[in-house]
Amino acid sequence: AKHEGKSTYHFFEPALDEEARQRRQMEIDLRAAVKEGGFELNFQPLYSLAQKRLTGFEALIRWNHPTRGRVNPVEFIALAEETGLIIPIGEWVLREACHQASTWPDDVSVAVNVSPKQFAANGITGTVLSALSASGLAPDRLELEITESIFISDVDKTLATLHSLRNLGVRIALDDFGTGYSSLSYLRSFPFDKVKIDKSFVEDLGTTSNGHAVIRAITTLAAALGMETLAEGVEDVAQFEVLEREGCENIQGYLFSRPVAADAVAELLRDGAGY
Ligand code: C2E
Ligand code: CA
Ligand code: CA
Ligand code: CA
């Protein structure tokens, strides 16, 4: 191997070199996808237990890679964040999600993930406003999903941005609730419309006896603060029944539907009553 030769080759550890090469290639491919439109949105239903109907969809990005096929967001969102490509990608997601939602019935909304870097970038409020006006979507049909990590940087700026987004009339949900290091203090600092209970807590319902207690604590707290709850990652009826009993208002998960392509949304809306 190279590194057994001259000492200068110590810099070229084969494994590191290969990793760096793959990363560079992925960045090149990601840039090309941004330029040429290599992304697609899938939509997963959000179901309201209180209203007993499908009330919206979460938009989830997919990358159709020319040689690797479909690449899931866990594989490229982090790189997009590091390279700043999340800004144009996130803008495309907002525009496309609003556009798609504008073709749905008026009582069906769309939830869009906003990454921490995208949230912190100057101009996020303008980007959201522009996506709304281009599509004609009513602001209250757009829900932005943000995570607790936005509070790690400048808290005052974060709160100012949250308020300016809220002033547009959009709804704001706190995603992956319970996975951050200090969730409770954030709930106190801003009136979120919705708290999305992380799927790790839903998973726990089948395996630990304290699972119910955690769900009950979160729904009770959210209710006291005037926020709705949604449980993500609901996969079976047993989990569903506990969540219903503990007063969770909204459900999302494979039990109802996996994320589907945009052209399958109409079908889900038609069959929605079958839940
Ligand atoms: P997330 O926001 O927590 O989205 C929920 C994830 O859980 C999705 O994975 C969804 O497909 C998956 N899921 C839904 N129901 C179930 C279930 O019953 N069981 C299990 N095991 N999983 C379920 P996906 O689509 O791979 O997205 C992963 C993450 O990538 C998202 O987590 C979100 O953080 C990020 N992401 C996805 N789309 C976007 C986007 O447009 N922009 C940004 N910034 N991030 C995105
Ligand atoms: Ca989400
Ligand atoms: Ca989530
Ligand atoms: Ca998650």
Side-chain angles (χ1 to χ4, degrees):
K2 278 179 180 174
H3 65 273
E4 285 165 352
K6 294 238 167 71
S7 59
T8 48
Y9 283 98
H10 282 156
F11 293 106
F12 298 92
E13 285 288 339
L16 283 180
D17 197 35
E18 176 57 17
E19 208 177 288
R21 194 196 62 76
Q22 277 183 15
R23 208 190 110 99
R24 248 187 333 262
Q25 186 59 49
M26 180 125 143
E27 186 181 337
I28 291 167
D29 294 350
L30 206 52
R31 267 181 213 288
V34 168
K35 226 169 124 191
E36 291 149 24
F39 303 104
E40 177 189 345
L41 290 183
N42 278 2
F43 297 93
Q44 187 178 32
L46 311 176
Y47 181 75
S48 162
L49 289 170
Q51 300 178 47
K52 299 207 184 324
R53 69 173 188 100
L54 192 164
T55 52
F57 290 86
E58 178 175 2
L60 295 159
I61 195 169
R62 301 293 180 257
W63 177 13
N64 297 313
H65 189 279
T67 55
R68 293 171 60 202
R70 162 160 306 188
V71 184
N72 279 325
V74 279
E75 289 190 55
F76 68 88
I77 290 290
L79 182 64
E81 281 250 318
E82 287 161 31
T83 55
L85 286 168
I86 194 67
I87 304 297
I89 293 173
E91 190 169 333
W92 176 83
V93 170
L94 271 165
R95 289 182 167 276
E96 177 66 11
C98 290
H99 167 69
Q100 291 294 337
S102 72
T103 69
W104 305 341
D106 284 347
D107 59 356
V108 179
S109 61
V110 69
V112 175
N113 292 286
V114 175
S115 88
K117 185 105 169 240
Q118 186 189 1
F119 182 90
N122 291 325
I124 178 66
T125 308
T127 301
V128 171
L129 182 59
S130 149
L132 286 170
S133 18
S135 62
L137 188 75
D140 63 355
R141 292 177 61 197
L142 174 63
E143 185 162 86
L144 303 176
E145 297 193 358
I146 55 100
T147 59
E148 290 156 348
S149 51
I150 61 165
F151 289 100
I152 288 170
S153 52
D154 190 341
V155 175
D156 290 338
K157 187 180 175 210
T158 294
L159 289 173
T161 304
L162 284 170
H163 284 290
S164 74
L165 288 168
R166 165 65 64 64
N167 286 341
L168 296 179
V170 303
R171 295 163 46 88
I172 301 181
L174 186 57
D175 203 358
D176 301 342
F177 182 73
T179 59
Y181 64 91
S182 177
S183 309
L184 292 181
S185 58
Y186 302 133
L187 275 195
R188 204 181 45 187
S189 67
F190 184 80
F192 294 97
D193 296 285
K194 189 189 278 177
V195 171
K196 294 190 81 171
I197 305 171
D198 191 69
K199 53 177 169 287
S200 57
F201 297 107
V202 175
E203 243 166 72
D204 282 352
L205 288 179
T207 53
T208 71
S209 52
N210 291 334
H212 299 46
V214 172
I215 299 291
R216 181 175 303 178
I218 298 176
T219 54
T220 305
L221 177 70
L225 295 169
M227 303 174 193
E228 260 181 62
T229 48
L230 176 147
E232 31 174 47
V234 181
E235 295 183 356
D236 60 51
V237 176
Q239 293 167 339
F240 174 89
E241 285 172 353
V242 175
L243 290 161
E244 188 173 39
R245 199 163 58 235
E246 300 302 344
C248 183
E249 287 120 331
N250 303 279
I251 301 284
Q252 175 181 10
Y254 298 163
L255 177 63
F256 298 118
S257 171
R258 294 197 170 244
V260 299
D263 59 10
V265 162
E267 204 177 317
L268 280 173
L269 285 171
R270 228 175 12 248
D271 303 345
Y275 281 148

